[in-house]
């Protein structure tokens, strides 16, 4: 765990991360929504955001293509559900399969609140592919859809 | 290779994914699994063996008349699945933190 970062799994299909940054909410909001900034940090080390497009209005679509070390491209797509200037981004999230169809759609909510000399991010990501071990059928289909998209992405 | 990576690798084939999809509806005999595919028996056997090896499917019944079913255990990788997203975010936020500090330093210490 990083300094000041909290990671929780309130349910089997969601996570919450809380982390403080030495920047005001307005700056965090810009870094989170503007392509020239997103290209500088989106994705973990090893996944490079080579292409970033954002249509910053409610209902607007965004696209981020990430290139892995082996050259594989992972395409992430989403739609802004809510945009509160300087304060909050709520969006859908889906990985694209190699055939161009989206995988399971989840949703994240990033809120920036002033705290001390900076701001705290509260990131909630819900609707994630969950543990469906208890049941077959529908649970498996959901798992397979996600795996399908993920595996297809690794092969693209 | 960890369990989830094995599952991924095994499922990196449309035939195997189709087999798993069929078994998600319930157990099946070899014939029931093989019928939809335009391939030789040995080819289907190979796919089924790969899925068994990855621990994704179980075999019951007799040697002559096996019955295959889905094994939920490898999919019980909730931590792995969630950790995939957690890792994505943690990694991203580490980079965001570094970027923020770069900006702040460039501005002379105050964002």
């Amino acid at each position: 765990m990083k300094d000041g970062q909290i990671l929780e799994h309130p349910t089997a299909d969601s996570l919450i991360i809380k982390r403080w940054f030495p920047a005001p909410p307005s700056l965090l909001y810009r870094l989170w929504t503007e392509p020239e900034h997103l290209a500088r940090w989106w994705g973990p080390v090893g996944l490079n955001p080579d292409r970033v497009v954002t249509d910053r209005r409610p209902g607007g679509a965004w696209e981020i293509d990430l290139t892995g070390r082996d050259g594989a491209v992972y395409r992430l797509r989403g739609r802004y559900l809510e945009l509160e200037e300087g304060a909050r981004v709520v969006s859908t999230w889906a990985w694209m399969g190699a055939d161009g169809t989206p995988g399971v759609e989840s949703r994240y909510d990033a809120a920036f609140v002033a705290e001390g000399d900076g701001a705290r991010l509260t990131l909630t990501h819900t609707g994630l592919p969950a543990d469906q071990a208890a049941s077959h059928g529908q649970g498996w289909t959901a798992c397979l859809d996600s795996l399908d998209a993920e595996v297809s992405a690794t092969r693209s | 290779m960890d369990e989830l990576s094995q599952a991924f690798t095994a499922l990196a084939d449309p035939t195997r994914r189709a087999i798993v999809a069929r078994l998600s509806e319930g157990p099946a005999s070899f014939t029931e699994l093989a019928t939809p595919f335009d391939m030789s028996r040995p080819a289907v056997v190979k796919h089924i063996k790969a899925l068994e090896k990855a621990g994704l499917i179980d075999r019951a019944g007799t040697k002559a008349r096996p019955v295959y079913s889905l094994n939920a255990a490898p999919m019980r990788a909730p931590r792995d699945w969630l950790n995939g997203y957690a890792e994505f975010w943690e990694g991203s936020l580490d980079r965001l933190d570094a970027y923020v500090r770069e900006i702040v330093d460039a501005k002379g210490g105050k964002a």
Side-chain angles (χ1 to χ4, degrees), chain B residues 70-102:
Chain B
L70 220 44
N71 178 1
M75 287 303 163
R76 199 184 342 248
R79 291 307 148 221
D80 287 12
W81 262 115
L82 281 179
N83 283 347
Y85 283 85
E87 276 158 18
F88 184 96
W89 281 120
E90 286 186 314
S92 300
L93 296 181
D94 282 350
R95 290 181 64 196
L96 175 59
D97 188 67
Y99 184 43
V100 162
R101 286 170 199 276
E102 226 182 271

Side-chain angles (χ1 to χ4, degrees), chain A residues 71-132:
Chain A
V73 179
Y74 301 78
R75 298 176 218 278
L76 196 51
R77 300 287 180 266
R79 216 172 53 252
Y80 293 119
L81 299 172
E82 284 176 52
L83 285 172
E84 217 181 297
E85 179 89 32
R88 192 156 171 236
V89 177
V90 182
S91 173
T92 63
W93 166 301
W95 292 100
M96 301 300 283
D99 60 359
T101 64
V104 170
E105 184 178 276
S106 57
R107 169 176 160 145
Y108 81 78
D109 181 332
F112 318 106
V113 176
E115 184 180 306
D117 282 342
R120 184 164 300 273
L121 158 74
T122 298
L123 173 72
T124 309
H125 200 146
T126 57
L128 296 169
D131 175 16
Q132 301 288 350

Side-chain angles (χ1 to χ4, degrees), chain A residues 5 19 37 40 140 148, chain B residues 17 75 90 94 99 102:
Chain A
Q5 175 175 289
R19 184 162 175 170
H37 291 304
R40 301 288 301 271
W140 271 103
D148 200 67
Chain B
R17 291 203 295 279
M75 287 303 163
E90 286 186 314
D94 282 350
Y99 184 43
E102 226 182 271

Side-chain angles (χ1 to χ4, degrees), chain A residues 23-41:
Chain A
S26 56
L27 178 57
L28 286 183
Y29 179 84
R30 292 191 56 199
L31 300 186
W32 203 282
T33 55
E34 292 174 16
E36 28 329 334
H37 291 304
L38 283 164
R40 301 288 301 271
W41 68 271

